[in-house]
Structure formats: structure tokens, C-alpha cells
Amino acid sequence: MLSAGLTLIFSMMGVLNFAHASFYMLGAYLGYTFSGLWGFWWGLLLSPIVTGLLGVVVERFALRRLHAQGQLAELLFTFGLSYLIVELVQLIWGRLTVPYAIPASLQGALFPIYSSTFSVYRAFMALIALLMLAIIYLLMTRTRIGLVIQAALTQPSMVEALGHNVPRIFMWVFGTGCALAGLAGAVGGNAFVTEPGMAASVGSIIFVVVVLGGMGSLVGAFWASLLIACVQTFAVTLDVSLLNLIHHFGSTIQTDHFAYALLSLTVSQVAPILPFLMLILMLLWRPQGLMGTHNA
């Protein structure tokens, strides 16, 4: 869900939004606040709306002024904005974890998987993500709004000649991307942990997903998300190392060997760096990503 919003902003506007994960965190805190006031479902509805409107304000009064300065200025602005949002969140909600709970109607197990269970809420998150992706895909490929948005990216002068306000289109695209991040926060904040460091914990991985899938490709972001999820999920369960493999083929390495410590590392121990290793290999093999297009 996070990668879809970031991909939408980059593909339509060319802005690499470093504050995207911070909008995700803001969506989680707003979801917690609104849920405490009016219930979970109102929090799920209002959180992305408020986050999206904040994104509209940021684009209208800040990013639009920096667009003429190039992508570096926009990148540095969003990088600073991410730290500003973190500080504001700490000032308003504090530095400790907030008790953002899963609603009682979505608690419980849906079905068993071997020795564990798949919860109802995880199925709910998956359903929301799939519905969101389907709506974005249909909006961009099957509606007049999507046609105007895509035309504004490639032929802005022609779109303006036809009577459309291109800056306003980009403003609402940025706001929509931020709203999707807010929706991800409202849905994922109670499934994981809602605290000021939650943006930093997902900030790097969403960029891995976007680059791995192909910059600007929603379909690529979807498949890259599944790929990264499967790699991270199964890697932490494997206690296999290169040392085990060497021993399996009849060779032995003594403990005093210079490479013993490296060879004895298990897959579960190196699981956190596997997505970044995949990113490096993808950039070396196919820089445009899985579904991205190559620009000459």
C-alpha cells in the first residue's frame, strides 16, 4: 500500500517523496486519535482524508515553488519534511507507543497454516490493499480522469491548451499518494506498532520495493511487494548456512579458518539485508526494475 502511493507520486510528478513513510506514520496516529473519538471505522475513513489534505497543502505551498529548481531541491525538501513530521508527532502524541488496538469485530483467527494461524485482520489488510490497487489501476487506465492525469505528465502544454489546470492535477495526485500512505498507516498501525520510529522502520524497504518493481510501475510495485514479503518471511525460518552446505558435500572447515565466521552465518541471520542485496543485483542486471521501462 505504501509503495503504491509512492509509485503514483513518482510516476505522475517525478517527485521522489522521502516524507512518504512519515505520512504513513501520521496516518497511523490520526487513525488512533479518530478511533478513540468515534470508533475504528471512522478512523479508517477520516485518517487518509486528513493526510491527503495535508499532502495537498504541502504540494500547493511548498513543492510547487521548488519544481522549477529541479528534483534535487524537491528531494531535499521532502527529506527535511520527514524529520519535521516526526518531531511534530512526538510533540503531540509523545515518544512512547500509543495503544492503537485492533477492533473486536476483526479479531480472531481465520484459518490455520501448519502450526500458526492466519488472523482475520491480516486478511482485512490484504483485502484493503487489493481493493486499493484495483481502484487505482481502473482509475488510471479506464477513466477520463486517468487519461488526463497521464497526458498531463507527458504533454502538459497540450493538456493546458484543452482547458485543464495541470498544477492542480499534480496537486491532487500528490494528495492522493499521501492519502494512500495515510490509509496504510490507519490499517497497519494497530497490526504492528504505532510509535515515532515506525516511519524509519518502513522508509527504506518501500524504496527497495519501488526500485525493484520499476520506478513508476504500479504492477511492478505489487509484484515486488509480494517478492520481498516472501523472501523476508521464509528467510527468517531457515537456519541453513554455507558451512552446512560445505559439510553436506563432505568437506570440512576448521574454526580457525579466516572465513569460518562468514560461512557460518545462517540465512535467518542475514534475512534483514536480503532485500537490499536483491536491490543491488537488480540495479546491476536490470536497472529499470521488473516492470519498469528503459529510458534511452
Side-chain angles (χ1 to χ4, degrees), residues 153-225:
L153 176 66
T154 56
Q155 300 291 337
S157 58
M158 182 63 70
V159 173
E160 285 188 334
L162 292 173
H164 299 286
N165 191 326
V166 172
R168 183 179 297 173
I169 292 173
F170 286 162
M171 178 184 72
W172 286 110
V173 166
F174 189 86
T176 301
C178 294
L180 295 180
L183 176 62
V187 172
N190 48 11
F192 304 106
V193 179
T194 301
E195 47 92 18
M198 64 187 298
S201 64
V202 300
S204 57
I205 200 68
I206 61 172
F207 283 100
V208 171
V209 170
V210 169
V211 175
L212 198 66
M215 299 295 285
S217 173
L218 286 172
V219 178
F222 172 73
W223 288 112
S225 297

Side-chain angles (χ1 to χ4, degrees), residues 4 19 22 40 66 104 115 142 154 192 214 231 252 263 283:
S22 297
F40 172 75
L66 296 172
S115 59
R142 297 291 187 272
T154 56
F192 304 106
V231 168
T252 58
L263 295 175
L283 290 173

Side-chain angles (χ1 to χ4, degrees), residues 203-260:
S204 57
I205 200 68
I206 61 172
F207 283 100
V208 171
V209 170
V210 169
V211 175
L212 198 66
M215 299 295 285
S217 173
L218 286 172
V219 178
F222 172 73
W223 288 112
S225 297
L226 291 181
L227 178 61
I228 293 294
C230 291
V231 168
Q232 288 188 312
T233 301
F234 290 108
V236 296
T237 65
L238 296 176
D239 289 326
V240 180
S241 65
L242 290 175
L243 194 62
N244 299 135
L245 189 62
I246 292 171
H247 289 167
H248 178 74
F249 287 101
S251 300
T252 58
I253 292 181
Q254 302 300 325
T255 56
D256 57 350
H257 192 275
F258 74 94
Y260 181 84

